[in-house]
Amino acid sequence: MKFLRSLLPLLVIGLLCAVAVAPLLQGDSPCTHDGAFHYYRVAAMRHALRDGLLFTRYLPDLAFGYGYPFFNYRAALSYYLALVLHLGGLALPVALDLVYVLSIVGSAIAAYLLARDLFGPRAGLVAAVAYAYAPYQFLNALLRANAPESLALPLLPLILWAFRRLALTGRRRWFLVSVVSLAALYLTHNISSLLFTPFLLAYLATLWLVYRREGHWTATGGAFVLALGLAAFFLGPALLEQEYAQLHMSRVTRNNDFHYNFLSLTEILSPPQPVDTSLLNPPMCVHLGFVQAVLGGLGTVVGLIRWRGPDHRERRATVIFLALATIGLLWMSTDASLWLWEVVPLLPFVQFPWRLVGRAILPLSLLAGATFSCL
């Protein structure tokens, strides 16, 4: 009975996500920017698997049959998920659509688990809906068709949830979950790994300031290092063999140059527009989410006012961290941060500063949940 009761919030979250995933359950794939590329890559992986190659950096069927070292520089996990669904009997378009469905629902569940631990179950439900219905989720699924980035979004709150529990309890199961989830992120989306690693380290530093004497920091550091080790077979070549590939070609065009992809605050905070999934190359607008922004601001103010004293050290520190992280990520998506983009190594490979709006939605959704925890 207790087990079934614990599953009830997850079932409620699944139902609340029904509207969000409805366009992806109609059997037809929407017209997207990169959707066709995923068909070719999964089909090439299927052919390689039939030839006995479970994992190969070099897909021999790509580039007009000359082959292409795609997985030497691009993470493969999201494509393996689509491949497993496809080999299970689903048509390739349905399998790829299901990857986005699982990403959106998984984002809600992972955000619920994290916000529940931080601010309580009511906050968890609100944060789950806020994160799943963020405009950036639909931008990835219905317009850009960026399957690796979509699958990375649920991993971000899952990693924070697992590492927090590991730091506070030191239990083996949370060590395992921390290692596997972080390694999965490194093997899912390169740019998300690059952007999230500093965020994770900053969050762990915040926890250390609160629990520096009680926390299990050796185990936490070990989990982080082990996750890097598990993903080293991919991260090593991607980082150490840059001089042997023309990676600069990925950002020489105006469309992929970070100088031309900053946003204004007006664009970020404007209301989202309906998406017409039948259009070919529709105009792309990146929004934060008006409701998420309002509730996140309220959660910051209410949390700082209510959570005072030694009994609320972690909650207060977390609210401050989340608020600063949201502001910092949004600032990096505007041209005010241009000098930083030109100085920090590897940051130009992010290509699109507006990606940081998609990263800001996680701390903002958690703050939105904090609003209802205080009521």
Side-chain angles (χ1 to χ4, degrees), residues 48 54 76 103 125 129 143 159 295 300 317 362:
L54 179 61
S103 298
L125 286 174
V129 175
L143 191 61
I159 293 167
L295 292 179
T300 303
L362 175 58

Side-chain angles (χ1 to χ4, degrees), residues 100-166:
Y100 300 111
V101 171
L102 294 175
S103 298
I104 293 174
V105 177
S107 294
I109 293 175
Y112 166 77
L113 294 174
L114 176 59
R116 180 195 62 184
D117 281 11
L118 293 174
F119 306 125
R122 184 183 302 172
L125 286 174
V126 175
V129 175
Y131 195 46
Y133 279 87
Y136 198 83
Q137 296 273 8
F138 304 118
L139 181 73
N140 269 336
L142 301 178
L143 191 61
R144 298 183 63 221
N146 191 331
E149 187 171 11
S150 288
L151 193 60
L153 292 179
L155 290 173
L156 308 185
L158 181 66
I159 293 167
L160 296 177
W161 174 67
F163 268 90
R164 178 186 176 274
R165 288 201 164 195
L166 173 62

